[in-house]
Structures are given as structure tokens and as C-alpha cells.
């Protein structure tokens, strides 16, 4: 459902809050299913839809469907009936029914596409489905369904582009398939291979060659065909009733857990800066949840260091303290690294989501044709795969909705510029803080170490001063604890990462300054000026994602040994 705010524009240039993130499911299938097999097929598909709806009650489900004759149309009708029964129960509850959406993804513009249907009955049927579709995606309004040079492709290229589009955005892909790949470009076998990350003999893009896309779930529903050739081969097909994998169910439950608090109308997220507009609920929730998990991790790490300091310092005073000290070393070496990774995982995931959402919002608000999910590396991490799936759904949501129409008084570019200035101010402030903290903790560690060495050296003097053992232990424990704490907090690493990011944001700010002052005659044309603004925003967005990728890679591979 859609949330609105009182301000004319949201942060990052959005005009309205998109609300809950939809779960995107796609449908592909044969045009000539055997009539006798259709009841079994529909029963199986309906049960699968029920499982999805029950697993994510707070999440809207959007079906991407090409509305071709045969299984596409049948699946669309079953979907509309099921969501009406599950969400609304009757036609009067339009708000809940519209929560889920049928999205028509056409290979050609609709008028041209309707001419492909020979039978009047099929043409009338597709017209009815187009009328109840919440969105109609076609080459005229979606550049991704056109050739790179802009024109509408001809057959079979248009069907290959359509199949690639559905496979790219769908997390679940329902394939009504007889198991036989007829080597038809854009056919069911080709699209299914794209979604599975397999290389098809008729590959036509880089993405089909590289295994870089996040994992989705392909559900093949055995569908015998009428054609004689297919019928002979289909007799060997196994009608599997396999359901969704545990990984897929965990993914959609994660998505639902993210959407659930967004439905709470009492949630109010204040502006982070007086001049900034209100943030979306999804970004605000992700940001606050990341801070919560970071604070929790820091408290536990601080507690561990303090306990370690006390036990090491008092090891010679109590017999049991020594045993506890060795136990702490065991915990620090063997157990804490695992706990540390588990504690940091949700922080990394939600921080990655918040930072990536900001870039996608800015790009979409300024009509920059780029998708953050394509640039964010998964590192073969389930958490990051989930984030990419969410980002892809958000990009699709913003592509179709009216959330990116800025007002004349507060255009998207002004909010984007405000974000860049805010990043420069934030990074500069945090760099000073982390630099100071890193130096302070190093000095504290060196002071402890120097004092410990000096105190121990007193025993070597001729007059034979022998300080208490607990003093030396305390000083050495302070030295080790100071280094461990500084390492756990990662002050130096964060300082270095922020410095790199600050330089890039300052360069973007300089580029925008050139455009605003129009120092060069080559930017006089308004169209050229608008393109140059987009170029700057796209460049700084890519830099931010590159920085995020590097940070995530280091954090996922890193293991702390504070013992």
C-alpha cells in the first residue's frame, strides 16, 4: 500500500513514499497446453500461490506476465482470483485487492501486440487482462524493452528481450514447461535458462554469460503440449510436486519482516537535518535497524574487552581468576570470531541496504537509467543476495509508479545536491572523529606498554625495587585491551574508507559547481546541461557503490582475534 507524506518532496528527490517492497514473480509458458492436463496444472499453481501469500502477508505480490495465449493468460486469471480471495475476499475491498498487482510485460506496443492474436476470442481475452493490469510495460514506455539504439525490435528479438526482462526482475519464475528446449530465441527454455543462471546456446547478452546475478527460484510446473513432436517427448516428463526451497522461503520471510513495520502508521521518522525532506519509511527503518545492531555489537565487544582486562589484571590475586583468564582466551580465539560475524551480519546487511537505497532513489528520481542491484556484488552471501533482490524490486517499483515526479519548487536535483553536501559534511566530521579515536587508543596502548616495561625493569636496578606483580599485569592487560578495543571498533579502517569517499564527493561537488555557474560555453543548451547533471549523479552513485562493495568484501572476509 502507498504511504504519502505532507511534504511535496521526500529526501533523495522522491515525490511520494513507495511503501512496502513488492515480491516480484514472473510467468512463462507454452501457448498450447494439453486441455486434459490443465486442471492438474492450475491446482498446482494455485497451491504455490497460496504458500507465497501465507508466507508474506505484509508483502504485495506483483506478477510479471507477457499475456501470451495459453499458459500466460491462464496463470494471470488464476493469480487475480487467488489474490482477491486471499487479500480482499470480495470485489468491494478494492484497497486490499490492489495491494497485489498484475503487470503486463509486452514484447511489442499493445496495439501491435493485439494484432498477433488470430482468434477473436484470444484477442478479447487479452484485452480484458490488459484492462485489469495495474501497469502495462511495453517498448514505448520502457527503454529496457527496446534495442540499445532505441527502436522496437522485431521477432524473435522482441520476445528474447521480453524474456530477459521478466527473468531479470522476477525472484520467483513459474515456468509452465514440458522439459523440451526447442532452441527458440525468447522461448520458455531460453528464459528459464537466463533465470537459472545457465548459459543458453542462443545467449545474446553479457549477463547471460557471467554468473553475476543474485539467485532466484525457478519453479517448473510440468505442462504437456498439444504439438505432436512435444507430445511424444513429454510422455517421459515427471510431474514433480516439489515446492519452494528453504532458502527461497527464508528470503521472502525476510522481505516480509522488512515490510511488516512499514505498515505501522504510527511510525514517525524525523528529518535528520533541518533542510532535508522526510525520508522514506524503508530507508528510515533500514538505517535505524543498522544503528541498533551496530550499537549492540559495540556494547558486547566493549564488555568482552573489560572482562578480559579485569581477569588478566587480577590473574595472580586469585587462583580461579587465572583459570577464568585462560577460559577467556579460549573464548576470544575460538568462539568470539563466530559470535562477532553473527552480530555484524544484520548490521552489514541493513547498512548496505540503506546506502544502496539512497543511490537508487537518487537515480530513479532524476530519471537515470541504472540499477544498483546490477552493481552491488553478492560475494555469494545470502544476506547480500536478499539485498540485491530488494533493490531490484524497488527499482522496478519506482520505474512504474509516480514516486519520481518532483515539484517545480523543489526538484529532485536540489534534494540530490543536498545529499552530496550532507555526505561531505558527514564524512569530514567522522574522519576527524575516527582519526582522533585511533590516535588516542594507540597512545593509551603505548602508555600502558611503556609503563609496564618500566615497572618490570625496576627489578633489575641495583637497589632492588620489586613492584607488586598485579601492577605489571594490570599495565600489560591495559596495553592488550587498548589494542584489542581499537581493532574491534575498526577506527583506522573506517577512517581510510571515509577519506577515499570524501575525495570523490568533493569532485562531484566541484563538477556540479561548474554546471551551476556555467563557466563553459559548451553547457548552454538546457538538454546538454540536464544530461551533465545526470552524469555527475550517476558517477557519484557508482563511486558510492564501489566503496560499498569494497567495504562489504573486507567485512565479510574479516575475522577478529582480540585475544
Amino acid at each position: 500500500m502507498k504511504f504519502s507524506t505532507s511534504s511535496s518532496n521526500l529526501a533523495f528527490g522522491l515525490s511520494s513514499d513507495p511503501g512496502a517492497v513488492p515480491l516480484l514473480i514472473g510467468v512463462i509458458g507454452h501457448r498450447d497446453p494439453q486441455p486434459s492436463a490443465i486442471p492438474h496444472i492450475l491446482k498446482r499453481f494455485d497451491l504455490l500461490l497460496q504458500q507465497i501469500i501465507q508466507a508474506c502477508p505484509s508483502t504485495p505480490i506483483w506478477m510479471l506476465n507477457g499475456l501470451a495465449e495459453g499458459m500466460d493468460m491462464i496463470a494471470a486469471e488464476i493469480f487475480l482470483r487467488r489474490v482477491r480471495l486471499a487479500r480482499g475476499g470480495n470485489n468491494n475491498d478494492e484497497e486490499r485487492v490492489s495491494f497485489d498487482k498484475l503487470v503486463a510485460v509486452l514484447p511489442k506496443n499493445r496495439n501491435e501486440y493485439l494484432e498477433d492474436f488470430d482468434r477473436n476470442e484470444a484477442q478479447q481475452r487479452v484485452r480484458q487482462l490488459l484492462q485489469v493490469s495495474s501497469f502495462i510495460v511495453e517498448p514505448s514506455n520502457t527503454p529496457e524493452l527496446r534495442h540499445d539504439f532505441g527502436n522496437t525490435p522485431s521477432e524473435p528479438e522482441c520476445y528474447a528481450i521480453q524474456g530477459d526482462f521478466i527473468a531479470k526482475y522476477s525472484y520467483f519464475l513459474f515456468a509452465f514447461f514440458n522439459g523440451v528446449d526447442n532452441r527458440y530465441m525468447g522461448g520458455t527454455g531460453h528464459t528459464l535458462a537466463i533465470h537459472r543462471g545457465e548459459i543458453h546456446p542462443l545467449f545474446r547478452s553479457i549477463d547471460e554469460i557471467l554468473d553475476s546475478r543474485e539467485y532466484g527460484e525457478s519453479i517448473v510446473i510440468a505442462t504437456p503440449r498439444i504439438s505432436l513432436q512435444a507430445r511424444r517427448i513429454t510422455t517421459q516428463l515427471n510431474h514433480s510436486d516439489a515446492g519452494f526451497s528453504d532458502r527461497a522461503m527464508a528470503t521472502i520471510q525476510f522481505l516480509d519482516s522488512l515490510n511488516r513495520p512499514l505498515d505501522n502508521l504510527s511510525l514517525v521518522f524525523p528529518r535528520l537535518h533541518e533542510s532535508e525532506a522526510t525520508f522514506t519509511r524503508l530507508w528510515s527503518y533500514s538505517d535505524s535497524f543498522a544503528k541498533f545492531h551496530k550499537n549492540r555489537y559495540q556494547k558486547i565487544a566493549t564488555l568482552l574487552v573489560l572482562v578480559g582486562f579485569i581477569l588478566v589484571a587480577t590473574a595472580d590475586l586469585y587462583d580461579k581468576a587465572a583459570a577464568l583468564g585462560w577460559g577467556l582466551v579460549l573464548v576470544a580465539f575460538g568462539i568470539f570470531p563466530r559470535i562477532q560475524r553473527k552480530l555484524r551480519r544484520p548490521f552489514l546487511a541493513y547498512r548496505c541496504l540503506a546506502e544502496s537505497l539512497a543511490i537508487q532513489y537518487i537515480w530513479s528520481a532524476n530519471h537515470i537509467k541504472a540499477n544498483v542491484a546490477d552493481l552491488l556484488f553478492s560475494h555469494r552471501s545470502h544476506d547480500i543476495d536478499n539485498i540485491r533482490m530488494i533493490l531490484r524490486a524497488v527499482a522496478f517499483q519506482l520505474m512504474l509508479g509516480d514516486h519520481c515526479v518532483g515539484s517545480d519548487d523543489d526538484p529532485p536535483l536540489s534534494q540530490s545536491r543536498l545529499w552530496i553536501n550532507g555526505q561531505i559534511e558527514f564524512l569530514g566530521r567522522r574522519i576527524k572523529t575516527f582519526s582522533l579515536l585511533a590516535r588516542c587508543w594507540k597512545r593509551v596502548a603505548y602508555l600502558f606498554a611503556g609503563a609496564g616495561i618500566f615497572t618490570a625493569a625496576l627489578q633489575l636496578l641495583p637497589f632492588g625495587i620489586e613492584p607488586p606483580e598485579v601492577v605489571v599485569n594490570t599495565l600489560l592487560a591495559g596495553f592488550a585491551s587498548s589494542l584489542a578495543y581499537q581493532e574491534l571498533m575498526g577506527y583506522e579502517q573506517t577512517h581510510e574508507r571515509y577519506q577515499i569517499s570524501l575525495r570523490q564527493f568533493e569532485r562531484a561537488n566541484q563538477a556540479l559547481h561548474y554546471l551551476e555557474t556555467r563557466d563553459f560555453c559548451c553547457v548552454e543548451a538546457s538538454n546538454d546541461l540536464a544530461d551533465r547533471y545526470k552524469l555527475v549523479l550517476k558517477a557519484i552513485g557508482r563511486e558510492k557503490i564501489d566503496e560499498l562493495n569494497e567495504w562489504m568484501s573486507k567485512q565479510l572476509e574479516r575475522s577478529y582475534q582480540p585475544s
Side-chain angles (χ1 to χ4, degrees):
M1 284 184 279
K2 180 177 170 180
F3 299 94
S4 61
T5 63
S6 56
S7 60
S8 59
N9 278 77
L10 297 175
F12 311 120
L14 299 182
S15 57
S16 62
D17 194 329
V21 181
L23 173 65
L24 304 181
I25 66 175
V27 166
I28 57 175
H30 298 313
R31 303 187 182 209
D32 58 342
Q34 288 186 13
S36 60
I38 291 179
H40 170 80
I41 295 170
L42 297 187
K43 181 180 179 181
R44 180 65 188 145
F45 180 56
D46 192 48
L47 288 174
L48 292 171
L49 287 177
Q50 291 182 58
Q51 290 183 38
I52 294 177
I53 294 172
Q54 291 171 1
C56 50
S58 301
T59 300
I61 300 172
W62 291 14
M63 173 184 276
L64 282 63
N65 194 311
L67 299 185
E69 190 171 3
M71 289 312 306
D72 281 13
M73 289 188 185
I74 296 173
E77 292 166 349
I78 293 297
F79 171 76
L80 292 172
R81 186 186 69 183
R82 173 49 53 191
V83 297
R84 181 174 291 107
L85 292 173
R87 307 290 197 184
N90 57 70
N91 293 330
N92 295 326
D93 194 352
E94 294 183 0
E95 183 180 8
R96 275 312 279 186
V97 173
S98 63
F99 188 56
D100 305 296
K101 301 182 186 300
L102 174 63
V103 180
V105 181
L106 307 184
K108 308 174 183 178
N109 294 327
R110 70 194 74 178
N111 292 333
E112 184 182 357
Y113 185 58
L114 288 171
E115 295 176 358
D116 288 349
F117 294 87
D118 298 330
R119 297 186 302 114
N120 291 333
E121 178 185 354
Q123 190 176 106
Q124 184 62 27
R125 196 174 177 186
V126 74
R127 287 182 185 274
Q128 292 174 351
L129 288 171
L130 287 173
Q131 288 178 355
V132 297
S133 297
S134 300
F135 302 105
I136 300 176
V137 181
E138 54 190 336
S140 63
N141 59 22
T142 307
E144 287 189 62
L145 291 177
R146 300 195 293 264
H147 274 306
D148 293 337
F149 41 85
N151 61 336
T152 302
S154 58
E155 297 185 24
E157 182 74 9
C158 62
Y159 291 104
I161 294 176
Q162 176 200 39
D164 183 68
F165 184 91
I166 293 176
K168 174 183 177 180
Y169 284 102
S170 302
Y171 179 73
F172 286 120
L173 182 67
F174 292 96
F176 297 93
F177 188 44
N178 69 341
V180 180
D181 185 1
N182 292 327
R183 297 292 192 268
Y184 182 76
M185 182 180 289
T188 302
H190 187 189
T191 304
L192 182 60
I194 294 174
H195 192 264
R196 286 175 167 174
E198 301 170 352
I199 299 180
H200 192 271
L202 299 176
F203 63 85
R204 45 171 298 279
S205 68
I206 295 176
D207 292 335
E208 293 183 58
I209 301 173
L210 300 178
D211 184 22
S212 59
R213 186 184 180 275
E214 68 276 10
Y215 291 115
E217 184 91 344
S218 302
I219 307 296
V220 177
I221 300 178
T223 306
R225 302 183 64 178
I226 294 176
S227 61
L228 294 177
Q229 180 183 4
R231 189 186 305 167
R232 287 196 297 269
I233 304 175
T234 310
T235 55
Q236 302 176 359
L237 188 66
N238 178 26
H239 287 253
S240 173
D241 285 337
F244 302 110
S245 67
D246 293 339
R247 180 190 180 101
M249 295 306 293
T251 295
I252 62 175
Q253 287 168 2
F254 168 74
L255 176 60
D256 201 62
S257 69
L258 194 66
N259 283 327
R260 199 174 302 123
L262 306 185
D263 202 29
N264 184 1
L265 297 179
S266 64
L267 287 176
V268 177
F269 296 102
R271 293 173 172 83
L272 299 183
H273 190 274
E274 183 178 351
S275 58
E276 285 181 316
T278 307
F279 291 87
T280 68
R281 289 172 176 265
L282 177 60
W283 187 93
S284 301
Y285 177 75
S286 302
D287 181 70
S288 61
F289 214 64
K291 290 177 180 176
F292 167 78
H293 283 285
K294 181 180 180 180
N295 291 336
R296 188 178 69 166
Y297 165 77
Q298 290 179 336
K299 290 177 182 177
I300 294 176
T302 303
L303 179 63
L304 177 73
V305 172
L306 288 175
V307 172
F309 171 78
I310 294 171
L311 290 177
V312 174
T314 60
D316 288 338
L317 296 181
Y318 307 99
D319 295 337
K320 294 182 178 180
L324 290 174
W326 283 109
L328 181 69
V329 171
L330 176 63
V331 169
F333 267 114
I335 300 177
F336 181 76
R338 299 179 184 177
I339 298 176
Q340 177 263 337
R341 284 192 292 269
K342 185 175 181 180
L343 289 173
R344 288 182 66 85
R345 272 183 57 187
F347 160 66
L348 294 175
Y350 282 97
R351 175 51 56 205
C352 177
L353 177 58
E355 298 290 342
S356 302
L357 279 173
I359 303 300
Q360 189 61 65
Y361 286 155
I362 287 174
W363 282 354
S364 296
N366 290 277
H367 305 290
I368 297 172
K369 307 303 180 185
N371 198 321
V372 173
D374 292 330
L375 303 175
L376 190 69
F377 298 153
S378 71
H379 307 287
R380 287 296 174 249
S381 164
H382 188 202
D383 292 335
I384 306 303
D385 273 348
N386 289 343
I387 299 304
R388 292 181 71 185
M389 181 267 290
I390 291 171
L391 291 170
R392 203 173 295 282
V394 169
F396 189 79
Q397 190 179 26
L398 296 175
M399 181 198 308
L400 302 187
D402 57 352
H403 314 291
C404 303
V405 183
S407 65
D408 295 334
D409 297 331
D410 192 13
L413 182 61
S414 65
Q415 287 293 330
S416 302
R417 181 63 187 269
L418 185 61
W419 172 72
I420 292 176
N421 291 336
Q423 287 289 308
I424 292 174
E425 179 183 348
F426 167 79
L427 291 170
R429 186 171 62 250
R430 298 300 285 175
I431 285 172
K432 293 180 181 178
T433 300
F434 286 126
S435 177
L436 178 63
L437 287 172
R439 290 199 306 269
C440 286
W441 280 105
K442 276 189 175 181
R443 289 173 182 174
V444 170
Y446 293 151
L447 286 174
F448 272 119
I453 293 172
F454 175 78
T455 304
L458 291 177
Q459 302 178 43
L460 304 177
L461 296 178
F463 41 86
I465 298 177
E466 185 172 350
E469 189 71 21
V470 67
V471 175
V472 178
N473 286 348
T474 300
L475 293 173
L476 293 179
F479 164 70
S481 299
S482 300
L483 288 182
Y485 185 77
Q486 196 264 353
E487 173 71 9
L488 285 169
M489 296 298 106
Y491 293 135
E492 286 187 340
Q493 294 79 9
T494 307
H495 171 264
E496 294 173 359
R497 181 170 66 91
Y498 280 2
Q499 276 190 322
I500 296 173
S501 186
L502 177 61
R503 286 196 293 269
Q504 300 299 341
F505 274 100
E506 288 176 339
R507 288 175 63 88
N509 195 40
Q510 181 182 11
L512 289 176
H513 174 73
Y514 286 148
L515 295 179
E516 290 168 354
T517 56
R518 302 196 180 194
D519 287 345
F520 301 97
C521 60
C522 62
V523 297
E524 289 298 326
S526 59
N527 290 338
D528 186 48
L529 188 62
D531 290 339
R532 287 171 179 267
Y533 274 121
K534 292 181 180 181
L535 190 64
V536 175
L537 295 178
K538 187 174 183 178
I540 194 59
R542 291 179 66 94
E543 163 58 27
K544 187 70 176 176
I545 296 301
D546 287 344
E547 176 216 323
L548 192 61
N549 280 326
E550 182 180 2
W551 177 69
M552 288 293 298
S553 179
K554 290 181 179 179
Q555 294 298 324
L556 290 171
E557 296 172 359
R558 193 171 188 173
S559 178
Y560 294 103
Q561 302 287 351
S563 25

